[in-house]
Amino acid sequence: MTVALTGALSNYLDFKRVEATLVGYNRAADGLYDVEAWWNSLSLDQKQNSKNCERLVISTEAIIRSEHVSWLQDMQDRLAEMYGNTENETYPENNNEDQQNKSG
């Protein structure tokens, strides 16, 4: 019974992609922590330097953008698994256009 329960839980977690999600969130959290540690290590004069402020914003946005892109890719992969990988199956009107282009 324990083996069956463990297997079911493992399959459920795989289905929900918990591991991939946690890895992405942990990577983003680590990156944000590193940026925060770098910022906190600067002196007041260095914090007022516009180049350091720009670096703070750019680094933070890059980390968030990376996580967002990763999330979008995961959603696209899930949709591709659900609906198939071919565009013509998902959008039958494209199939009609392709046939018209071949014949005419």
Side-chain angles (χ1 to χ4, degrees):
M1 184 166 162
T2 303
V3 173
L5 184 59
T6 303
L9 182 60
S10 176
N11 287 338
Y12 177 75
L13 293 176
D14 285 345
F15 173 73
K16 289 292 192 175
R17 297 183 187 220
V18 172
E19 182 179 1
T21 302
L22 287 176
V23 167
Y25 289 165
N26 285 336
R27 188 178 309 128
D30 287 344
L32 291 172
Y33 177 80
D34 291 345
V35 169
E36 180 187 26
W38 166 77
W39 181 255
N40 289 332
S41 71
L42 298 178
S43 68
L44 185 59
D45 290 337
Q46 290 173 322
K47 288 181 181 179
Q48 292 175 348
N49 184 334
S50 64
K51 289 191 185 255
N52 286 333
C53 290
E54 185 177 338
R55 181 177 170 192
L56 172 70
V57 171
I58 289 172
S59 298
T60 302
E61 287 178 347
I63 292 165
I64 293 170
R65 186 180 318 109
S66 175
E67 173 54 31
H68 181 71
V69 167
S70 175
W71 183 85
L72 284 175
Q73 183 63 50
D74 188 44
M75 290 300 109
Q76 288 173 345
D77 292 347
R78 287 184 187 195
L79 288 174
E81 287 175 12
M82 286 174 51
Y83 296 113
N85 291 329
T86 61
E87 186 175 320
N88 291 336
E89 288 179 12
T90 307
Y91 303 104
E93 64 274 7
N94 291 343
N95 195 17
N96 293 337
E97 290 176 9
D98 289 342
Q99 289 176 355
Q100 290 173 355
N101 289 338
K102 288 179 184 176
S103 63

